[in-house]
Coordinates of all heavy atoms in Angstrom, one line a residue:
N95 N 28.3 18.0 -8.2 CA 29.5 18.5 -9.0 C 28.8 18.7 -10.4 O 28.8 17.8 -11.3 CB 30.5 17.3 -9.2 CG 31.6 17.8 -10.0 OD1 31.7 18.6 -10.8 ND2 32.7 17.1 -9.7
Q96 N 28.5 20.0 -10.7 CA 27.8 20.4 -12.0 C 28.6 20.0 -13.2 O 28.1 19.7 -14.2 CB 27.4 21.8 -11.9 CG 26.4 22.1 -10.8 CD 25.9 23.5 -10.9 OE1 26.5 24.4 -11.5 NE2 24.8 23.8 -10.1
D97 N 30.0 20.2 -13.1 CA 30.8 19.9 -14.3 C 30.7 18.4 -14.6 O 30.7 18.0 -15.7 CB 32.2 20.3 -13.9 CG 32.4 21.9 -13.9 OD1 31.5 22.6 -14.3 OD2 33.6 22.2 -13.5
Q98 N 30.8 17.5 -13.6 CA 30.6 16.1 -13.7 C 29.3 15.8 -14.5 O 29.2 15.0 -15.2 CB 30.7 15.4 -12.4 CG 30.6 13.8 -12.4 CD 31.8 13.2 -13.1 OE1 32.8 13.2 -12.5 NE2 31.6 12.5 -14.2
G99 N 28.3 16.5 -14.0 CA 26.9 16.2 -14.4 C 26.8 16.6 -15.9 O 26.3 15.7 -16.8
K100 N 27.5 17.7 -16.3 CA 27.5 18.0 -17.7 C 28.3 16.9 -18.6 O 27.9 16.7 -19.7 CB 28.1 19.5 -17.9 CG 27.2 20.5 -17.4 CD 28.0 21.9 -17.6 CE 27.0 23.0 -17.1 NZ 27.8 24.3 -17.0
A101 N 29.5 16.6 -18.1 CA 30.3 15.6 -18.8 C 29.6 14.3 -18.9 O 29.6 13.7 -20.0 CB 31.6 15.3 -18.0
D102 N 28.8 13.7 -17.8 CA 28.0 12.6 -17.9 C 26.9 12.8 -19.1 O 26.7 11.7 -19.7 CB 27.5 12.2 -16.5 CG 28.4 11.7 -15.6 OD1 29.5 11.4 -16.1 OD2 28.0 11.4 -14.4
L103 N 26.2 13.9 -19.0 CA 25.2 13.9 -20.0 C 25.8 14.0 -21.4 O 25.1 13.5 -22.4 CB 24.4 15.2 -19.7 CG 23.0 15.5 -20.5 CD1 22.2 14.4 -20.4 CD2 22.4 16.9 -20.1
M104 N 26.9 14.7 -21.5 CA 27.5 14.7 -22.9 C 27.7 13.2 -23.4 O 27.6 12.9 -24.5 CB 28.8 15.4 -22.7 CG 29.8 15.4 -24.0 SD 31.5 16.1 -23.7 CE 32.1 14.9 -22.5
R105 N 28.4 12.5 -22.5 CA 28.6 11.0 -22.8 C 27.3 10.2 -23.2 O 27.4 9.5 -24.1 CB 29.3 10.3 -21.6 CG 30.7 10.9 -21.3 CD 31.2 10.2 -20.0 NE 32.5 10.9 -19.7 CZ 32.8 11.3 -18.4 NH1 31.9 11.1 -17.5 NH2 33.9 11.9 -18.2
Y106 N 26.3 10.6 -22.4 CA 25.0 9.9 -22.8 C 24.5 10.3 -24.2 O 24.1 9.5 -25.0 CB 23.9 10.3 -21.7 CG 22.6 9.8 -22.1 CD1 22.1 8.5 -22.2 CD2 21.7 10.8 -22.8 CE1 21.0 8.0 -22.7 CE2 20.4 10.3 -23.2 CZ 20.0 9.1 -23.1 OH 18.9 8.6 -23.7
Y107 N 24.6 11.6 -24.5 CA 24.1 12.1 -25.7 C 25.0 11.5 -26.9 O 24.4 11.1 -27.9 CB 24.1 13.7 -25.9 CG 23.0 14.4 -25.2 CD1 23.1 15.5 -24.5 CD2 21.7 13.7 -25.1 CE1 22.2 16.2 -23.8 CE2 20.7 14.4 -24.4 CZ 20.9 15.5 -23.9 OH 19.8 16.2 -23.2
H108 N 26.2 11.4 -26.7 CA 27.2 10.8 -27.6 C 26.7 9.3 -27.9 O 26.7 8.9 -28.9 CB 28.7 10.8 -27.1 CG 29.6 10.1 -28.0 ND1 29.9 8.8 -27.7 CD2 30.2 10.5 -29.1 CE1 30.8 8.4 -28.6 NE2 31.0 9.5 -29.6
W109 N 26.5 8.5 -26.7 CA 26.1 7.2 -26.8 C 24.8 7.0 -27.5 O 24.6 6.0 -28.4 CB 26.1 6.6 -25.4 CG 25.5 5.2 -25.4 CD1 26.1 4.0 -25.5 CD2 24.2 4.8 -25.1 NE1 25.3 3.0 -25.5 CE2 24.1 3.5 -25.2 CE3 23.0 5.6 -24.9 CZ2 22.9 2.7 -25.0 CZ3 21.7 4.9 -24.7 CH2 21.8 3.5 -24.7
A110 N 23.8 7.9 -27.2 CA 22.6 7.8 -27.8 C 22.5 8.4 -29.2 O 21.4 8.3 -29.9 CB 21.6 8.6 -27.0
E111 N 23.6 8.8 -29.8 CA 23.6 9.4 -31.1 C 22.7 10.7 -31.2 O 22.1 10.9 -32.2 CB 23.5 8.5 -32.2 CG 24.6 7.3 -32.1 CD 24.6 6.4 -33.4 OE1 23.9 6.7 -34.4 OE2 25.3 5.4 -33.3
N112 N 22.5 11.3 -30.1 CA 21.7 12.6 -30.2 C 22.7 13.7 -30.5 O 23.1 14.5 -29.5 CB 21.0 12.7 -28.7 CG 20.0 13.9 -28.9 OD1 20.2 14.8 -29.8 ND2 19.0 13.8 -28.1
N113 N 23.1 13.8 -31.7 CA 24.1 14.8 -32.1 C 23.6 16.3 -31.9 O 24.4 17.1 -31.6 CB 24.6 14.6 -33.5 CG 25.0 13.1 -33.6 OD1 25.9 12.6 -32.9 ND2 24.5 12.3 -34.6

Side-chain angles (χ1 to χ4, degrees):
N95 183 338
Q96 293 182 348
D97 289 347
Q98 177 74 66
K100 287 176 184 176
D102 281 357
L103 187 58
M104 169 190 70
R105 292 172 188 135
Y106 169 73
Y107 284 144
H108 174 267
W109 172 84
E111 297 191 14
N112 188 338
N113 305 309

